[in-house]
Amino acid sequence: MINKLLFTAIFLPLVSMPIIVLAANFLKKKTALLTSIISIISAIILVKIHIANKLVLPIAAKINWLPSLGIDISFVVDDISLFFGYVISVMGALISLYSYFYFKNKD
């Protein structure tokens, strides 16, 4: 469960970027709201991971990527990486919200 949540928190912004770029033509200025929602979801998932693990760190997550070659995708989350995950997610959401309200009344 922690592995899935960790990979979701990491890859959600990366996977959603092509969708956001394609939806930008339709959403126009509301694209900033979509990006802020994705950043907030990522931050919430990080909080969930932190609480679910009972504040005991580090957390190691591994997925077999190419098992025939013995190549895995691995992440280790400790206190400092979790802190920076929070900072980056929350600041990304705040910047997106600021840009939405900044460009709301512009032509």
Side-chain angles (χ1 to χ4, degrees):
M1 168 99 171
I2 297 294
N3 285 353
K4 289 181 183 178
L5 284 174
L6 183 60
F7 283 104
T8 302
I10 292 170
F11 290 113
L12 178 67
L14 296 173
V15 172
S16 63
M17 283 314 296
I19 297 167
I20 291 170
V21 169
L22 293 174
N25 292 332
F26 302 107
L27 295 175
K28 304 288 182 197
K29 295 176 184 175
K30 294 181 182 174
T31 307
L33 292 177
L34 181 61
T35 57
S36 64
I37 289 170
I38 291 171
S39 294
I40 290 170
I41 290 171
S42 185
I44 290 171
I45 292 172
L46 288 174
V47 169
K48 226 179 210 190
I49 290 170
H50 203 187
I51 292 171
N53 210 28
K54 295 185 177 61
L55 308 177
V56 178
L57 296 172
I59 305 167
K62 180 172 107 173
I63 291 181
N64 295 330
W65 186 38
L66 297 171
S68 60
L69 298 175
I71 299 174
D72 302 327
I73 297 175
S74 301
F75 292 102
V76 177
V77 177
D78 57 355
D79 291 326
I80 192 121
S81 61
L82 198 58
F83 170 74
F84 278 107
Y86 292 147
V87 169
I88 291 167
S89 298
V90 172
M91 289 303 293
L94 291 174
I95 290 168
S96 296
L97 284 174
Y98 176 79
S99 68
Y100 171 72
F101 289 110
Y102 182 79
F103 288 111
K104 188 176 181 181
N105 297 326
K106 304 274 180 177
D107 290 333

